[in-house]
Amino acid sequence: MEINELAQNTAQNTALIVIDVQKAWHDPSFPPRDNPAAEGNIAALVDAWQEAGRPVVFVRHDSPKADSPLRPGQEGNDFQDFVEERRGRGTGPELLLTKTVNSAFIGTPDLRSWLDAAGIRQIVVVGVMTNWCVETTARMGGNLGYDVIVPLDATHTFDAVGPDGRSLTAAELARATATNLHAGGFAKVVSTAALLG
């Protein structure tokens, strides 16, 4: 799909779902990450959505694990400043959703009900982590029949170790997510520039 064609074919009520952009990810205990441009791209998308009066969903992971930096009451649970500063600034609908699992479709309030009540059939999924909560939300959205778009450069993840003890870099994991979503027909994988037209 051409850049202009994609931008033109994004519905006026397409919801931007901003997943888990929280302070915990700055914790030095996390392995190396990819895509230092992610935050800037997320901010640009939120700004564009809010200026257009389009719906934005801010998702926060409230970990139930006692030792998690994402646990409520910990500073790491808070949204990063650039996200918190943008909350409530748009003229369109806005939702704060909390979850304890990977998918934003399993959270409070119920995302599917909110989208369907507003007649929203297209979603753009951004945030952290590319291969966990972003990919899981995108896959579930696709399974539920939504038209899902993932601007991969508005996500980031971290290196991880597999069951064989071998490590994959964050970039390798992001590439695998892009392949999974594209090849499986779960989502269109695009760039932030493509969405901003």
Side-chain angles (χ1 to χ4, degrees):
M1 187 174 276
E2 296 296 323
I3 288 176
N4 289 337
E5 183 185 352
L6 178 61
Q8 290 169 5
N9 287 330
T10 303
Q12 182 57 38
N13 70 341
T14 297
L16 178 67
I17 302 178
V18 183
I19 297 183
D20 301 352
V21 185
Q22 293 164 258
K23 292 181 178 179
W25 306 121
H26 296 308
D27 191 299
S29 67
F30 284 101
R33 61 168 276 187
D34 69 336
N35 192 20
E39 288 83 355
N41 289 330
I42 293 167
L45 287 165
V46 173
D47 288 346
W49 249 250
Q50 290 182 327
E51 287 167 14
R54 292 184 174 192
V56 180
V57 179
F58 293 102
V59 181
R60 188 183 71 221
H61 190 86
D62 288 352
S63 177
K65 298 178 182 176
D67 60 346
S68 173
L70 290 163
R71 182 168 53 88
Q74 304 296 308
E75 184 181 3
N77 181 257
D78 296 341
F79 287 119
Q80 291 180 30
D81 291 343
F82 81 94
V83 169
E84 188 59 42
E85 290 163 3
R86 285 168 168 80
R87 289 184 57 222
R89 287 204 170 171
T91 58
E94 183 177 306
L95 179 69
L96 171 63
L97 183 151
T98 60
K99 63 180 181 61
T100 60
V101 294
N102 301 113
S103 177
F105 283 97
I106 304 174
T108 305
D110 183 73
L111 179 58
R112 185 180 187 184
S113 296
W114 188 82
L115 294 172
D116 291 353
I120 297 168
R121 299 307 307 159
Q122 187 176 62
I123 60 174
V124 173
V125 185
V126 303
V128 189
M129 300 167 45
T130 311
N131 55 316
W132 287 8
C133 297
V134 171
E135 182 173 347
T136 304
T137 299
R139 282 177 178 249
M140 192 164 177
N143 283 167
L144 291 171
Y146 295 97
D147 179 17
V148 183
I149 301 171
V150 177
L152 200 70
D153 61 356
T155 75
H156 80 77
T157 191
F158 300 89
D159 294 2
V161 178
D164 60 358
R166 297 178 62 186
S167 181
L168 291 179
T169 67
E172 290 170 326
L173 292 167
R175 194 160 52 248
T177 287
T179 302
N180 289 339
L181 294 177
H182 172 79
F186 296 106
K188 295 180 192 79
V189 180
V190 302
S191 67
T192 296
L195 280 178
L196 296 178

